[in-house]
Amino acid sequence: MRTRRLDLVPLAVAHADEMAGVLADPALHAFIGGAPLTAPELRARYERLVAGSPDPAVVWCNWVVRLRAEDRLAGTVQATVTDGGRTAEVAWVVGTDWQGRGIAREAAGGLVGLLVGRGVRTVVAHVHPDHAASAAVARAAGLAPTEETQDGEVRWELRIPSGAEGP
């Protein structure tokens, strides 16, 4: 999948070493908790993700975000597809060194467009209420906040009526 500046490349275990550096800043965990994973920890995580969901009704879709001009990985986007392919929960993360350049916005928009093009009718993201940058990414991708919260995060949604095109 290509956008104007980015390639969304299917996640591979081989991406773990470079991504460990991209995701090494503890500030990336300010809203989601936890701490950066080491390269071996990330490799083990990617092995599980690449193997796919153990539930046949759930499809895990994971991509690394490659900034073509720099030929560098800058983050990830992911979707968990359920409901027979009609619903996808999405997430994105861009390394600190690449933030503020519209990369998350472009990657998330490309992801949502891809999912809707594949028949997804509801796209969901969960955003911490204090994470203005992530809320801006969700809004730019066509999602809108709902009144629902889960684990302290606001549920954002994009609903595509049957037969309609996406954002």
Side-chain angles (χ1 to χ4, degrees):
M1 156 82 190
R2 291 173 66 97
T3 67
R4 187 173 61 83
R5 300 177 295 159
L6 309 172
D7 293 322
L8 302 185
V9 180
L11 179 73
V13 175
H15 294 129
D17 289 338
E18 186 175 353
M19 286 305 300
V22 171
L23 303 174
D25 187 350
L28 289 174
H29 296 267
F31 294 104
I32 60 172
L37 298 178
T38 65
E41 291 168 331
L42 204 53
R43 197 171 304 110
R45 177 174 169 74
Y46 287 1
E47 286 172 357
R48 290 188 303 274
L49 291 173
V50 168
S53 170
D55 182 344
V58 176
V59 178
W60 293 342
C61 304
N62 296 276
W63 296 266
V64 291
V65 176
R66 179 174 294 283
L67 186 58
R68 277 195 304 278
E70 297 178 19
D71 193 28
R72 293 276 322 255
L73 299 182
T76 63
V77 292
Q78 62 188 45
T80 300
V81 182
T82 59
D83 192 27
R86 293 182 298 276
T87 302
E89 184 161 338
V90 298
W92 49 85
V93 63
V94 169
T96 305
D97 291 346
W98 295 271
Q99 290 179 4
R101 297 167 54 182
I103 293 170
R105 181 181 304 233
E106 187 174 333
L111 173 61
V112 169
L114 175 70
L115 293 168
V116 170
R118 290 184 176 175
V120 169
R121 303 328 290 156
T122 302
V123 180
V124 175
H126 289 90
V127 178
H128 190 283
D130 296 331
H131 199 324
S134 198
V137 169
R139 186 170 279 110
L143 284 74
T146 69
E147 297 296 319
E148 294 180 51
T149 61
Q150 180 179 343
D151 296 327
E153 295 184 324
V154 176
R155 178 182 172 103
W156 288 64
E157 285 187 1
L158 169 65
R159 291 189 180 269
I160 307 295
S162 294
E165 292 295 318

